[in-house]
Amino acid sequence: MTEAIVASRTPLPVEVEAGKAYFWCTCGRSASQPFCDGSHKGTGLNPLRWTCERTETRWFCGCKRTANAPFCDGSHKGLPA
């Protein structure tokens, strides 16, 4: 399995819609961050499906190191410079 690439060193705010399913990029290779565009193919990593319960702004993890996937938990603060 390949390790995820850090796509962003900051969380990514997204206005999400109630009832809609989202596919969070776990590999860091997607050009459509924080969501999957299929760039994970061949890496052994797969997107994480998440369904929104209410319309609101959510902060998605961009560093791919969160323990609260798909959301930011501050893990990016511990990344080396």
Side-chain angles (χ1 to χ4, degrees):
M1 177 163 24
T2 304
E3 186 175 344
I5 293 171
V6 174
S8 174
R9 292 183 175 272
T10 61
L12 305 163
V14 178
E15 181 71 22
V16 292
E17 298 175 36
K20 185 175 177 182
Y22 295 87
F23 292 86
W24 179 66
C25 170
T26 62
C27 72
R29 291 163 175 79
S30 176
S32 302
Q33 290 297 327
F35 303 117
C36 179
D37 69 0
S39 297
H40 64 277
K41 290 184 173 95
T43 67
L45 299 170
N46 293 303
L48 175 71
R49 185 179 195 271
W50 173 74
T51 302
C52 181
E53 293 180 9
R54 64 180 179 269
T55 299
E56 62 184 338
T57 300
R58 296 299 303 255
W59 293 84
F60 288 83
C61 174
C63 75
K64 312 306 176 184
R65 304 299 189 268
T66 184
N68 187 33
F71 306 110
C72 177
D73 68 357
S75 293
H76 61 278
K77 294 175 186 175
L79 293 174

